Structures are given as structure tokens and as C-alpha cells.
Amino acid sequence: MNPSDVTGRAAKFRLGVFLLGLFTALLALAMPAYAKEILRLPYAIDIGTFDPDNGFEVDGVSAINNVYEGLVEYAPGSTQIVGLLAKRWAISNDGLSYTFDLEDGVKFHDGAPLTAQAVVGSLKRRRDGGLALSYMLGNVADISAPDDDTVVIRLKQPQPSFLDALASAWGPKVISPLALSEHDKSDKATNWLGEHAAGTGPFKLAEIKRGEGYVLERNADYWGKRPYFDEINIPVVPDIGQQILKLKAGELDVVPTNFPFAQLSHLPAGLEVTAAPSMTQYALFVKPGSPLDNPEIRRAVLTAINPSLWVKDVFGPYAELSKSAYQNLMLDPADPIEYPGDIEAARAAIAKLGEVNLSIGLHSTKAAYARISDRLIIQLALIGVKTTAHVLPPGAAFALKGDPSAPDALLTISSPDAAHPENQARAFFTKDAPLNFYGRSLPEADAIVDVAGTKTDVAERNALYEKAGRLYLDAGHVIPLVDVKDVVVHAKGLTDLGLRPAFPPGNIDFATIRWTR
């Protein structure tokens, strides 16, 4: 063969390779590479544990609820209970047995199939494990699986609020039986589940860095509707000011909660507000033996602190007056609260009684607490009541019972763990309620709550709960103030945030949120 032919062929080959590479490069430039859709939002505090049975997370419940799923849930924007892992259910005539039919084709993140036996194992872990949230299944007598697709829960006594307990933000979730068995080190796998996860949800826990943040990635094998976002990036940013700066700089897409209400009316052009119904109720809980035990002083104080005088100044259009001891979304009372309106009579009553001093403890350093207390102090000064307010140390609000140095009233958020009035009454008002901050007791009201908790007729039950609530109010145990909306500030174009009224504010549903751009 002529050497020149060989050389020519080699040159042509190299030219062909070059042209092919050039064509590939040009094609790559003409066709943009696939980019992940990533949602970036901060949590103000670290997640204590990712174990869905063993921690009362508030900020972090959105992440947990997108990794794990329960039998039922609240529909977004509603207190309506709909199926999740259960496609249907039936309740026995005696109100004791709940039968759930499971969805088909569901798998855990580790590949294990969802079976009725897996649900039974998870629910028994929640009920029997002595865990932080075991109380939610305290009325459950038996949990069984008659077949692979059916779960039967038998109660000790009728509990009309039971489905609400299951739908709660902190309701029982279903954990992979494989993970529970492999990682049980005589601790019911609590240590492993604190920083790992194996649920059925639309997202998997991909990364957890204490004090820094979390990453969730979309579950490619999810049994339900495919989420819009491939990844949820959740840095821990404790300072709200830093969160806002990062949002304005485009480093975050959302500030889910605690955005100052005073700034909402003049957001930058690229930001917008999503406001949704909420069960966030600000209220004053009153210490026994305080000046507010005197009916004359209490009436004068109620006149001065009437929320209609200050709610718009503090919250703008994002709050409404509380109508009862229950959130407005939970119960629409037949006889709403009416604050006295005669300021001159209130001033005369205080003048007659002599010097009246009140102290208010604030449950949190969040801006809304300070804005409310500032207005209360100003309003009370108008009738001659000298009032001071101070932020309580972390956890101190839960140690006020029997403390002689405790403030005369505690300003806090009164929000239940589910949307049924039973959950509100049993959390805050009855004698042994865990959030009966001052340990006050009103047996006649508690007896009415006992009866109300057995009623399935909504109108009948609500009338009883309202009657009990009125007794707690008239006895001066609690002073409801305002119900505040769930307010999320985010980049324009984000929609379908999936906020649920009975959940803590700002708990976005990562399975529904999407860009409209």
C-alpha cells in the first residue's frame, strides 16, 4: 500500500473524529442539560429527631411528614380527613372498631412492601414504646391484620376524635418493618431513626447534618403523584433576619414562618405572600391568685385589652378576633366572646380599687409576642393598670404551676395537635391537661368536656364544648385574643403550598408545592 494512502486515511479519520466531537459539543450547547428542580427553605431550629414517634417537632414536621405517611391525613387547606395509606375505612356501630383498607403497590424506601402487618408493627411501636407521642394511641385496645390489606384498630372506649388523632401533624406514621427489625438495639430503633428514615413518602431523607441542614430527595418509586421538586434543601438558619436577607438575595425560595407582619405590606417586587387559614390562637392564660381573679379588675382589663382595638395594627389583614376558647376554624360558637367597651367605666373601676399591677410572661422572643404585649401595656395604662412584660426563659412556661414568682398571665399560642375540640380542651383546659399552664381546675366544665367527647353529632358536641369553654372563660382561666393566619413569604411563582390549618404554621407540603414559571 502506498504510504501516502495510509497517511491520507489517517488524516481523514482524525478529521472525522474532530468533526464528530465538534458536532457533539455544538449539540450539547444547543440542548440545555437537565437541571434538578430544588426547593430551598430554612428551618429556624434543628430537628431533634427524625423518629416520627418520638419527638414533638414543630418546624421539622413538614420534612418528617413528606418522608413518612400515615393511614389518613387532613386535606390541604382544610380540616377534612381523607385517605393516605388507607384508601377507605369503616367505623363500627359501637364506635369501637376502625377497619382500614390499604392502598395497593406501596413500597417503603428500602424496598419492603407495605402490608397490614407492617402497619400493625408501626402502630404497636407507637402505642407500646413509651415514646414521646405514644399518648396519641392511649385509647387503643388492639391492633390486628386479618389479611395483608386490612388493618383493624379496636378502641377501649368510643373516641369520636380518633380519626383526627390519626390525621394530626404528629399522628402515627408507618415505618419499614425491615428497618425496625434491623436497627432495634433494645431501643425500638429509636437511636437509628433519630438520624435515618425508612417511610413510604414522596421524599427520602438523603442527608442530615446536625446544626447545618437537611436534604430530601424525590422518591422515584413513590406510589402516588410525582412531586414537582427533585430535591428539598433545608439549611438551619436560626435568625429570621438572616432568612429574610437570603430570601431577598435569591439564596432561599421561601421564609416559611415568623416573617415580621410590619414588613408584609412593602415586600420587594420578586416576593409575595401566601396566607392560609390557621389554628394559631394567641391567648392569655391566667395565674390563680393574680389580680385578674377579682371580677371587677378582670372586667376592666378585658375592656382595655379588647383585641378589636389593636389587631389590625399588629397583624394587618392576617388575623381576626377569637370568638371563643377554641380556634374559629375548629368551632363557630353560637355565643361569641364580646369584650366590654366602656373605657371610662373601666378607668373608674381601677381608680376605686387602688393601684393594680400586672405582669405578663411571653412564651417566645418572636416579634408577634412583643408587638402584642406592647399594645396590651399601652391599652392597660389608659385605665390606670401598670403592666410589665418579659420573655420567659426557654421551657419556663411549662414550669409555672405552683410557682409564686410566676407572671400573672402567660401570653402564648394556644394551638392543639389536631382539629377536634376535644384536642383543644384536653390540651389546655381540663385539670390534667398537659398545657394547663397554671394547673387550674374547674370540675363542672371538665364534666361537660367528658360528655362532649362521646358525641358524634357535630352540632351537639360543639354546643357542649362551647358551654365548657364559656365556663373556663367566665372563671378567668384563659383570655382568647386573636386567631392569626398562616403566612408564608416566598419567591413569586411558587404555588400549591399545601398548608393545613391544624398543622404548625409554615409547614409546606413538599409533595404539592411547585413553580408556575
Side-chain angles (χ1 to χ4, degrees):
M1 180 179 291
N2 190 322
S4 62
D5 291 340
V6 174
T7 303
R9 288 177 181 176
K12 290 178 180 179
F13 177 76
R14 289 194 296 272
L15 178 61
V17 171
F18 171 76
L19 291 174
L20 179 62
L22 180 62
F23 174 77
T24 302
L26 290 172
L27 186 63
L29 290 173
M31 298 177 62
Y34 169 74
K36 279 186 177 181
E37 287 286 0
I38 300 175
L39 180 70
R40 304 161 301 167
L41 80 165
Y43 283 168
I45 57 176
D46 219 346
I47 296 176
T49 176
F50 227 85
D51 186 337
D53 294 328
N54 203 33
F56 210 92
E57 302 298 329
V58 176
D59 286 15
V61 76
S62 57
I64 294 171
N65 284 349
N66 275 272
V67 169
Y68 291 102
E69 296 174 308
L71 292 171
V72 298
E73 65 174 344
Y74 289 120
S78 170
T79 57
Q80 177 189 1
I81 296 173
V82 297
L84 191 52
L85 292 179
K87 55 187 174 184
R88 67 181 69 90
W89 61 90
I91 305 172
S92 63
N93 290 335
D94 63 5
L96 292 175
S97 289
Y98 290 69
T99 302
F100 298 90
D101 295 329
L102 301 182
E103 289 282 358
D104 303 315
V106 181
K107 290 185 177 181
F108 291 95
H109 298 160
D110 58 12
L114 174 72
T115 63
Q117 292 79 11
V119 176
V120 170
S122 286
L123 294 182
K124 286 186 174 179
R125 176 183 189 264
R126 166 71 73 100
R127 182 192 64 179
D128 303 332
L131 306 173
L133 299 173
S134 292
Y135 74 93
M136 299 188 84
L137 296 181
N139 187 36
V140 172
D142 183 61
I143 313 164
S144 61
D147 57 56
D148 284 348
D149 302 313
T150 309
V151 175
V152 178
I153 301 176
R154 182 83 176 166
L155 304 183
K156 299 173 185 176
Q157 58 189 24
Q159 182 186 342
S161 64
F162 183 63
L163 285 177
D164 286 272
L166 296 184
S168 165
W170 301 277
K173 308 299 187 291
V174 184
I175 306 170
S176 166
L178 183 61
L180 289 177
S181 62
E182 285 187 352
H183 301 289
D184 185 357
K185 308 300 181 184
S186 299
D187 64 348
K188 298 190 180 297
T190 55
N191 187 56
W192 187 83
L193 287 169
E195 298 193 355
H196 303 83
T200 60
F203 287 89
K204 298 179 179 181
L205 177 61
E207 183 177 290
I208 178 169
K209 291 184 177 179
R210 293 295 186 194
E212 296 183 31
Y214 308 83
V215 176
L216 308 182
E217 64 180 20
R218 183 167 55 198
N219 176 12
D221 298 321
Y222 184 54
W223 63 275
K225 183 179 178 180
R226 172 188 171 97
Y228 177 90
F229 286 99
D230 300 284
E231 181 177 302
I232 312 296
N233 193 301
I234 310 171
V236 177
V237 185
D239 181 66
I240 185 62
Q242 286 298 314
Q243 290 186 22
I244 293 171
L245 288 175
K246 288 177 178 291
L247 177 65
K248 291 179 177 179
E251 298 173 25
L252 294 172
D253 301 307
V254 183
V255 168
T257 188
N258 296 325
F259 203 102
F261 286 91
Q263 298 181 28
L264 294 176
S265 60
H266 49 276
L267 292 174
L271 302 181
E272 62 184 347
V273 174
T274 291
S278 171
M279 291 193 183
T280 299
Q281 183 187 78
Y282 284 86
L284 289 167
F285 286 83
V286 180
K287 174 184 174 181
S290 80
L292 291 170
D293 275 355
N294 182 320
E296 288 187 81
I297 293 177
R298 188 163 67 248
R299 181 176 179 82
V301 165
L302 290 174
T303 304
I305 67 172
N306 184 343
S308 65
L309 300 173
W310 50 264
V311 61
K312 295 301 181 186
D313 290 338
V314 175
F315 295 106
Y318 300 108
E320 61 184 11
L321 305 183
S322 299
K323 297 179 182 179
S324 74
Y326 306 90
Q327 291 76 15
N328 297 345
L329 281 171
M330 177 184 288
L331 190 153
D332 188 12
D335 183 23
I337 297 170
E338 289 189 11
Y339 280 81
D342 191 337
I343 289 287
E344 290 303 322
R347 185 180 292 115
I350 296 301
K352 180 185 70 174
L353 291 166
E355 184 172 307
V356 175
N357 298 293
L358 289 177
S359 59
I360 300 174
L362 310 184
H363 200 158
S364 169
T365 60
K366 294 175 182 176
Y369 284 91
R371 286 177 64 82
I372 293 173
S373 65
D374 287 348
R375 288 310 305 259
L376 298 184
I377 291 170
I378 292 170
Q379 293 297 126
L380 288 167
L382 294 177
I383 63 168
V385 174
K386 297 179 181 179
T387 311
T388 60
H390 66 281
V391 178
L392 297 176
F398 307 107
L400 298 176
K401 294 179 184 178
D403 181 359
S405 64
D408 296 313
L410 170 70
L411 176 62
T412 188
I413 291 176
S414 159
S415 293
D417 56 13
H420 196 287
E422 179 79 357
N423 295 75
Q424 178 76 353
R426 296 292 183 190
F428 293 98
F429 306 137
T430 56
K431 181 181 178 181
D432 297 321
L435 298 177
N436 181 344
F437 294 101
Y438 289 102
R440 304 195 69 147
S441 176
L442 196 62
E444 58 268 38
D446 291 1
I448 296 171
V449 170
D450 289 341
V451 176
T454 68
K455 302 299 181 182
T456 56
D457 181 86
V458 174
E460 183 181 10
R461 92 177 184 201
N462 283 357
L464 289 168
Y465 284 117
E466 181 182 349
K467 183 178 180 181
R470 176 61 71 172
L471 290 174
Y472 296 123
L473 297 183
D474 291 346
H477 290 198
V478 63
I479 303 172
L481 298 171
V482 292
D483 284 29
V484 181
K485 290 183 178 181
D486 192 349
V487 176
V488 177
V489 179
H490 54 81
K492 282 189 175 179
L494 280 175
T495 189
D496 295 341
L497 274 61
L499 302 171
R500 289 163 168 82
F503 280 25
N507 274 278
I508 292 167
D509 190 340
F510 304 143
T512 62
I513 189 171
R514 59 188 177 87
W515 288 111
T516 56
R517 63 192 183 194

